[in-house]
Amino acid sequence: MLKAGIIGYGTLGRTISELIEAGHAGDVELKSVLVRRKREQSMLIKKHLL
């Protein structure tokens, strides 16, 4: 299994994370997302990133 991280959670980062979580990227697990601004934890939980 490949463990991946994303820099940025804009349009592209969000799309990539959704594809990974849906299993469209093969055997990849999203481990982290690096952003400049703090996001609400509830938003990240909804996306299953925590």
Side-chain angles (χ1 to χ4, degrees):
M1 172 178 288
L2 177 66
K3 296 177 182 176
I6 294 175
I7 298 174
Y9 198 65
T11 303
L12 187 58
R14 187 172 294 115
T15 301
I16 292 170
S17 69
E18 289 171 356
L19 291 171
I20 290 172
E21 292 298 314
H24 296 294
D27 195 17
V28 179
E29 180 180 4
L30 182 59
K31 297 299 284 184
S32 64
V33 178
L34 178 65
V35 295
R36 287 186 191 184
R37 287 185 241 150
K38 186 176 180 178
R39 303 273 182 168
E40 287 188 34
Q41 189 174 17
S42 61
M43 183 178 113
L44 295 175
I45 290 171
K46 288 179 187 174
K47 293 289 184 178
H48 307 289
L49 298 178
L50 288 181

